Amino acid sequence: VASGTERRIEGVCAVMRERNLDALLVSAPANVRYLTGYTGSHGVALLTVSDESEAHSFFTDFRYETQAQEEVGKAFAIEIAPLDLFGVLVKTLEGNGRLGFDESHLTVRDHTRLDELLDGRFELVCAGGVVEHLREVKDADEVRRIESAARLADEALQRVLEGGLAGRTERELAIELELQMRRLGADAASFPTIVAAGAHAALPHAHPLDVRVGTRELVTIDWGAVYDGYCSDCTRTFASSEPTALQREVYALVLEAQEAGLAALRAGPSGKQVDAAARRLIEDAGHGAHFGHGLGHGVGIEVHEGPRLSRLRADAPLRAGNVVTVEPGVYLAGELGVRIEDLAVVSEDGSRVLSSLPKWLTIAS
Ligand code: ZN
Ligand code: ZN
């Protein structure tokens, strides 16, 4: 269990006291993992606070008993329950009060069942985002894990590039990249690998096709590894042979915007402001309508988490310890797509990029 676990639990308890919550049900697997260390699929945590004391429990069923004993931090009493964990969970709640739950995760069915079992003793209160907000700021151990995942993913891509791009199908390239990541020790790919060539790359989330990469095409590869429970995320766009003037021009624009986004990245400005720093350049070049997604997102236990770098989000300032992507793109339908994505740790005076691959337009024939 990570050394930061106690600090994480303290952080959650402080928010619970602020919001007058007597108990908090933590049910989303990434949040359960963050607080307890448990990596299994079926398990929930219940944190309770009173004026003086705190008591925390972890509930799972018999299939995960051994795993829970090995993984769950000692701040939690482990309770082995029947498959329906809520019956036992409700019995550990004494008296009455307010029980927070995650409204973006708990199903309506589970909410109804919980409410019945509580029988009016506890009021169910929406408390989503409490753990996610803490997760946005990574400690040194988490940054190390993300950096390891990024290094591993970079190494895997380099191995794939040795075989060249032209003449191989998008699907073959994606499969080989995932295989190389697994061979290098990744638990999994952090999301389905994107390999998209030519006009297909104009779809930002293209699924690899059984189509061979041709000559004079740009090829976008977006990939990441899960290592030690943490994700990486990176995108590079390559040329399959000598690029055309249009390919060079769009690539240079996206790279300039990406560098401007990285230069604006530090604690203080909002994700919206950093997004604007990059977007402005793409808009000024007349391609604003061809950059339809946000500039970036947080990465950690989940590959897409807070904070978001987006013009659509609230103006909360970025914090030191945020780990975010900076990934502008320009997508010309029927023609080409370019996206360049780095992963970076935010600090008080700037950021440190965790992706190591070069960003000049590389010909990978
Ligand atoms: Zn990506
Ligand atoms: Zn991304």
Side-chain angles (χ1 to χ4, degrees):
V1 178
S3 56
T5 304
E6 272 164 39
R7 237 176 309 132
R8 296 173 190 177
I9 295 168
E10 262 172 44
V12 175
C13 290
V15 178
M16 288 170 67
R17 289 194 167 98
E18 265 169 41
R19 299 196 188 179
N20 290 315
L21 294 172
D22 304 286
L24 180 71
L25 171 63
V26 180
S27 57
N31 291 341
V32 171
R33 178 171 190 155
Y34 182 72
L35 293 178
T36 71
Y38 176 72
T39 62
S41 57
H42 192 230
V44 299
L46 182 71
L47 282 72
T48 64
V49 298
S50 63
D51 292 343
E52 302 288 286
S53 66
E54 297 172 2
H56 312 309
S57 307
F58 172 81
F59 303 84
T60 188
D61 69 78
F62 75 99
R63 293 171 298 167
Y64 297 101
E65 186 169 0
T66 306
Q67 188 180 356
Q69 278 158 357
E70 283 170 5
E71 292 179 343
V72 173
K74 56 184 186 303
F76 292 86
I78 298 171
E79 307 267 358
I80 303 302
L83 277 178
D84 169 22
L85 306 176
F86 291 157
V88 174
L89 183 146
V90 162
K91 284 192 190 121
T92 67
L93 280 171
E94 287 167 16
N96 46 45
R98 285 156 50 86
L99 168 60
F101 71 98
D102 181 350
E103 70 276 15
S104 63
H105 184 261
L106 198 73
T107 64
V108 173
R109 187 176 62 182
D110 283 347
H111 182 277
T112 307
R113 165 111 178 103
L114 203 50
D115 201 34
E116 276 167 19
L117 288 165
L118 288 166
D119 198 24
R121 289 198 296 124
F122 275 75
E123 180 193 351
L124 281 167
V125 182
C126 290
V130 172
V131 183
E132 283 84 348
H133 189 69
L134 291 175
R135 275 172 46 202
E136 288 182 4
V137 174
K138 273 72 181 176
D139 62 30
D141 176 63
E142 293 180 287
V143 172
R144 257 194 305 278
R145 293 185 199 209
I146 296 167
E147 191 164 12
S148 299
R151 271 211 212 105
L152 185 157
D154 287 350
E155 168 67 24
L157 184 76
Q158 273 166 332
R159 290 187 182 188
V160 173
L161 290 178
E162 283 166 15
L165 297 176
R168 302 164 83 189
T169 71
E170 293 175 357
R171 225 171 86 81
E172 279 166 19
L173 290 162
I175 291 169
E176 199 200 326
L177 183 47
E178 293 186 2
L179 193 64
Q180 291 291 2
M181 289 196 283
R182 294 297 301 272
R183 286 210 174 110
L184 288 165
D187 303 328
S190 51
F191 56 91
T193 301
I194 295 170
V195 178
H200 190 213
L203 309 175
H205 280 174
H207 295 285
L209 300 172
D210 279 317
V211 169
R212 291 185 196 285
V213 174
T215 51
R216 305 215 101 184
E217 286 189 322
L218 293 183
V219 185
T220 297
I221 303 181
D222 188 349
W223 79 110
V226 184
Y227 183 73
D228 224 352
Y230 282 77
C231 297
S232 75
D233 186 6
C234 183
T235 306
R236 288 291 181 270
T237 299
F238 300 94
S240 66
S241 56
E242 190 58 34
T244 66
L246 176 68
Q247 288 169 347
R248 279 187 193 285
E249 181 195 318
V250 174
Y251 191 93
L253 173 64
V254 173
L255 182 55
E256 194 190 357
Q258 207 263 350
E259 297 287 0
L262 282 174
L265 188 62
R266 61 186 161 78
S270 66
K272 203 179 202 168
Q273 286 171 310
V274 177
D275 176 286
R279 190 173 300 279
R280 198 173 299 131
L281 293 167
I282 293 177
E283 282 172 348
D284 288 351
H287 284 300
H290 305 137
F291 174 27
H293 57 75
L295 182 68
H297 54 86
V299 174
I301 294 175
E302 293 179 294
V303 71
H304 292 113
E305 52 181 57
R308 306 283 166 167
L309 309 185
S310 164
R311 64 203 148 138
L312 307 172
R313 294 290 167 142
D315 260 331
L318 293 169
R319 294 177 282 169
N322 289 156
V323 173
V324 296
T325 67
V326 175
E327 49 176 308
V330 167
Y331 310 94
L332 305 181
E335 192 105 41
L336 59 83
V338 173
R339 181 166 64 257
I340 302 169
E341 172 177 30
D342 277 335
L343 195 54
V345 196
V346 176
S347 60
E348 291 300 341
D349 54 1
S351 69
R352 182 168 71 87
V353 173
L354 302 179
S355 314
S356 67
L357 296 174
K359 287 190 284 190
W360 60 81
L361 182 50
T362 306
I363 301 173
S365 52

mmCIF file of all heavy atoms in Angstrom, residues 25 38 75-76 83 101 122 134 146 188 210 212 221 245 266 278 302 309 324 346:
data_model
loop_
_atom_site.group_PDB
_atom_site.id
_atom_site.type_symbol
_atom_site.label_atom_id
_atom_site.label_comp_id
_atom_site.label_asym_id
_atom_site.label_seq_id
_atom_site.Cartn_x
_atom_site.Cartn_y
_atom_site.Cartn_z
ATOM 1 N N LEU A 25 -19.872 6.371 1.151
ATOM 2 C CA LEU A 25 -19.744 5.109 0.425
ATOM 3 C C LEU A 25 -18.874 5.351 -0.801
ATOM 4 O O LEU A 25 -19.195 6.195 -1.638
ATOM 5 C CB LEU A 25 -21.136 4.621 -0.002
ATOM 6 C CG LEU A 25 -21.162 3.418 -0.961
ATOM 7 C CD1 LEU A 25 -20.558 2.182 -0.314
ATOM 8 C CD2 LEU A 25 -22.590 3.147 -1.418
ATOM 9 N N TYR A 38 -6.912 -1.768 -2.865
ATOM 10 C CA TYR A 38 -7.536 -2.972 -3.427
ATOM 11 C C TYR A 38 -7.655 -2.869 -4.947
ATOM 12 O O TYR A 38 -8.172 -1.881 -5.463
ATOM 13 C CB TYR A 38 -8.920 -3.144 -2.794
ATOM 14 C CG TYR A 38 -9.741 -4.292 -3.324
ATOM 15 C CD1 TYR A 38 -9.411 -5.610 -3.026
ATOM 16 C CD2 TYR A 38 -10.878 -4.047 -4.097
ATOM 17 C CE1 TYR A 38 -10.180 -6.658 -3.495
ATOM 18 C CE2 TYR A 38 -11.653 -5.095 -4.575
ATOM 19 C CZ TYR A 38 -11.305 -6.393 -4.267
ATOM 20 O OH TYR A 38 -12.060 -7.430 -4.721
ATOM 21 N N ALA A 75 -5.904 0.915 7.621
ATOM 22 C CA ALA A 75 -6.910 1.850 8.124
ATOM 23 C C ALA A 75 -8.324 1.288 7.973
ATOM 24 O O ALA A 75 -9.271 1.804 8.564
ATOM 25 C CB ALA A 75 -6.806 3.173 7.382
ATOM 26 N N PHE A 76 -8.453 0.198 7.192
ATOM 27 C CA PHE A 76 -9.785 -0.347 6.912
ATOM 28 C C PHE A 76 -9.976 -1.708 7.587
ATOM 29 O O PHE A 76 -9.100 -2.577 7.476
ATOM 30 C CB PHE A 76 -9.978 -0.536 5.401
ATOM 31 C CG PHE A 76 -10.039 0.758 4.648
ATOM 32 C CD1 PHE A 76 -8.869 1.377 4.225
ATOM 33 C CD2 PHE A 76 -11.254 1.381 4.382
ATOM 34 C CE1 PHE A 76 -8.910 2.586 3.546
ATOM 35 C CE2 PHE A 76 -11.296 2.592 3.706
ATOM 36 C CZ PHE A 76 -10.115 3.189 3.291
ATOM 37 N N LEU A 83 -22.621 -11.734 -1.708
ATOM 38 C CA LEU A 83 -22.449 -10.982 -2.943
ATOM 39 C C LEU A 83 -23.086 -9.599 -2.880
ATOM 40 O O LEU A 83 -22.544 -8.631 -3.397
ATOM 41 C CB LEU A 83 -23.048 -11.763 -4.122
ATOM 42 C CG LEU A 83 -22.126 -12.827 -4.720
ATOM 43 C CD1 LEU A 83 -22.838 -13.561 -5.839
ATOM 44 C CD2 LEU A 83 -20.823 -12.211 -5.229
ATOM 45 N N PHE A 101 -22.879 9.390 -1.277
ATOM 46 C CA PHE A 101 -22.642 8.369 -2.303
ATOM 47 C C PHE A 101 -22.244 9.076 -3.599
ATOM 48 O O PHE A 101 -22.435 10.284 -3.751
ATOM 49 C CB PHE A 101 -23.888 7.498 -2.515
ATOM 50 C CG PHE A 101 -25.020 8.220 -3.209
ATOM 51 C CD1 PHE A 101 -25.210 8.076 -4.581
ATOM 52 C CD2 PHE A 101 -25.866 9.071 -2.510
ATOM 53 C CE1 PHE A 101 -26.242 8.756 -5.236
ATOM 54 C CE2 PHE A 101 -26.896 9.748 -3.155
ATOM 55 C CZ PHE A 101 -27.076 9.584 -4.518
ATOM 56 N N PHE A 122 -30.480 6.866 7.733
ATOM 57 C CA PHE A 122 -29.495 7.743 7.086
ATOM 58 C C PHE A 122 -30.107 8.364 5.843
ATOM 59 O O PHE A 122 -30.825 7.700 5.096
ATOM 60 C CB PHE A 122 -28.231 6.965 6.692
ATOM 61 C CG PHE A 122 -27.228 6.848 7.803
ATOM 62 C CD1 PHE A 122 -27.442 5.959 8.853
ATOM 63 C CD2 PHE A 122 -26.091 7.645 7.809
ATOM 64 C CE1 PHE A 122 -26.526 5.867 9.893
ATOM 65 C CE2 PHE A 122 -25.169 7.547 8.845
ATOM 66 C CZ PHE A 122 -25.386 6.660 9.891
ATOM 67 N N LEU A 134 -9.272 14.795 -5.125
ATOM 68 C CA LEU A 134 -7.971 14.489 -4.507
ATOM 69 C C LEU A 134 -7.055 13.785 -5.497
ATOM 70 O O LEU A 134 -5.850 14.044 -5.543
ATOM 71 C CB LEU A 134 -8.156 13.577 -3.291
ATOM 72 C CG LEU A 134 -8.826 14.164 -2.063
ATOM 73 C CD1 LEU A 134 -9.028 13.071 -1.038
ATOM 74 C CD2 LEU A 134 -7.974 15.284 -1.476
ATOM 75 N N ILE A 146 3.469 6.807 -13.298
ATOM 76 C CA ILE A 146 2.993 7.299 -14.598
ATOM 77 C C ILE A 146 4.176 7.446 -15.554
ATOM 78 O O ILE A 146 4.108 7.087 -16.731
ATOM 79 C CB ILE A 146 2.233 8.639 -14.429
ATOM 80 C CG1 ILE A 146 0.971 8.426 -13.588
ATOM 81 C CG2 ILE A 146 1.888 9.239 -15.788
ATOM 82 C CD1 ILE A 146 0.311 9.704 -13.105
ATOM 83 N N ALA A 188 -1.624 -3.815 -19.220
ATOM 84 C CA ALA A 188 -2.568 -3.739 -20.340
ATOM 85 C C ALA A 188 -2.267 -2.468 -21.117
ATOM 86 O O ALA A 188 -1.457 -1.651 -20.683
ATOM 87 C CB ALA A 188 -4.001 -3.687 -19.814
ATOM 88 N N ASP A 210 -8.333 -2.843 -41.298
ATOM 89 C CA ASP A 210 -7.523 -3.810 -42.041
ATOM 90 C C ASP A 210 -7.074 -3.205 -43.364
ATOM 91 O O ASP A 210 -7.243 -3.798 -44.419
ATOM 92 C CB ASP A 210 -8.351 -5.084 -42.318
ATOM 93 C CG ASP A 210 -8.365 -5.990 -41.103
ATOM 94 O OD1 ASP A 210 -7.289 -6.165 -40.489
ATOM 95 O OD2 ASP A 210 -9.434 -6.513 -40.769
ATOM 96 N N ARG A 212 -3.929 -1.177 -45.466
ATOM 97 C CA ARG A 212 -2.480 -0.936 -45.421
ATOM 98 C C ARG A 212 -2.158 0.545 -45.469
ATOM 99 O O ARG A 212 -2.812 1.314 -46.175
ATOM 100 C CB ARG A 212 -1.788 -1.637 -46.601
ATOM 101 C CG ARG A 212 -1.810 -3.123 -46.467
ATOM 102 C CD ARG A 212 -1.036 -3.857 -47.544
ATOM 103 N NE ARG A 212 -1.457 -5.247 -47.528
ATOM 104 C CZ ARG A 212 -1.088 -6.134 -46.588
ATOM 105 N NH1 ARG A 212 -0.260 -5.766 -45.631
ATOM 106 N NH2 ARG A 212 -1.538 -7.365 -46.612
ATOM 107 N N ILE A 221 -0.718 7.806 -34.335
ATOM 108 C CA ILE A 221 -0.712 6.687 -33.391
ATOM 109 C C ILE A 221 -0.921 7.265 -31.993
ATOM 110 O O ILE A 221 -0.167 8.133 -31.544
ATOM 111 C CB ILE A 221 0.611 5.890 -33.466
ATOM 112 C CG1 ILE A 221 0.830 5.383 -34.903
ATOM 113 C CG2 ILE A 221 0.586 4.726 -32.470
ATOM 114 C CD1 ILE A 221 2.101 4.561 -35.086
ATOM 115 N N ALA A 245 3.369 19.349 -49.102
ATOM 116 C CA ALA A 245 3.398 20.694 -48.530
ATOM 117 C C ALA A 245 2.265 20.875 -47.517
ATOM 118 O O ALA A 245 2.454 21.445 -46.440
ATOM 119 C CB ALA A 245 3.292 21.728 -49.649
ATOM 120 N N ARG A 266 1.063 25.539 -16.110
ATOM 121 C CA ARG A 266 1.665 25.633 -14.771
ATOM 122 C C ARG A 266 0.529 25.793 -13.767
ATOM 123 O O ARG A 266 -0.626 25.993 -14.162
ATOM 124 C CB ARG A 266 2.635 26.815 -14.687
ATOM 125 C CG ARG A 266 1.981 28.137 -14.928
ATOM 126 C CD ARG A 266 3.013 29.268 -14.982
ATOM 127 N NE ARG A 266 2.452 30.430 -15.645
ATOM 128 C CZ ARG A 266 1.615 31.287 -15.061
ATOM 129 N NH1 ARG A 266 1.265 31.140 -13.796
ATOM 130 N NH2 ARG A 266 1.116 32.296 -15.738
ATOM 131 N N ALA A 278 -3.295 27.366 -26.718
ATOM 132 C CA ALA A 278 -2.997 26.536 -27.887
ATOM 133 C C ALA A 278 -4.013 26.765 -29.003
ATOM 134 O O ALA A 278 -3.662 26.881 -30.179
ATOM 135 C CB ALA A 278 -2.993 25.064 -27.487
ATOM 136 N N GLU A 302 -6.993 6.284 -13.902
ATOM 137 C CA GLU A 302 -7.788 6.223 -15.134
ATOM 138 C C GLU A 302 -7.110 7.066 -16.215
ATOM 139 O O GLU A 302 -6.465 8.068 -15.913
ATOM 140 C CB GLU A 302 -9.209 6.725 -14.885
ATOM 141 C CG GLU A 302 -9.982 5.783 -13.967
ATOM 142 C CD GLU A 302 -11.383 6.278 -13.685
ATOM 143 O OE1 GLU A 302 -11.521 7.329 -13.038
ATOM 144 O OE2 GLU A 302 -12.329 5.610 -14.113
ATOM 145 N N LEU A 309 -8.453 20.138 -19.666
ATOM 146 C CA LEU A 309 -8.021 21.381 -20.323
ATOM 147 C C LEU A 309 -9.004 21.584 -21.464
ATOM 148 O O LEU A 309 -8.873 20.949 -22.513
ATOM 149 C CB LEU A 309 -6.598 21.264 -20.873
ATOM 150 C CG LEU A 309 -5.506 20.758 -19.927
ATOM 151 C CD1 LEU A 309 -4.137 20.833 -20.625
ATOM 152 C CD2 LEU A 309 -5.470 21.543 -18.640
ATOM 153 N N VAL A 324 -1.325 15.976 -16.755
ATOM 154 C CA VAL A 324 -2.289 16.188 -17.835
ATOM 155 C C VAL A 324 -1.648 15.962 -19.203
ATOM 156 O O VAL A 324 -0.433 16.031 -19.343
ATOM 157 C CB VAL A 324 -2.873 17.625 -17.808
ATOM 158 C CG1 VAL A 324 -3.672 17.866 -16.543
ATOM 159 C CG2 VAL A 324 -1.768 18.669 -17.961
ATOM 160 N N VAL A 346 2.374 19.095 -13.790
ATOM 161 C CA VAL A 346 2.282 20.531 -13.524
ATOM 162 C C VAL A 346 3.046 20.854 -12.241
ATOM 163 O O VAL A 346 2.942 20.125 -11.248
ATOM 164 C CB VAL A 346 0.796 20.940 -13.374
ATOM 165 C CG1 VAL A 346 0.677 22.411 -12.992
ATOM 166 C CG2 VAL A 346 0.032 20.638 -14.659
#
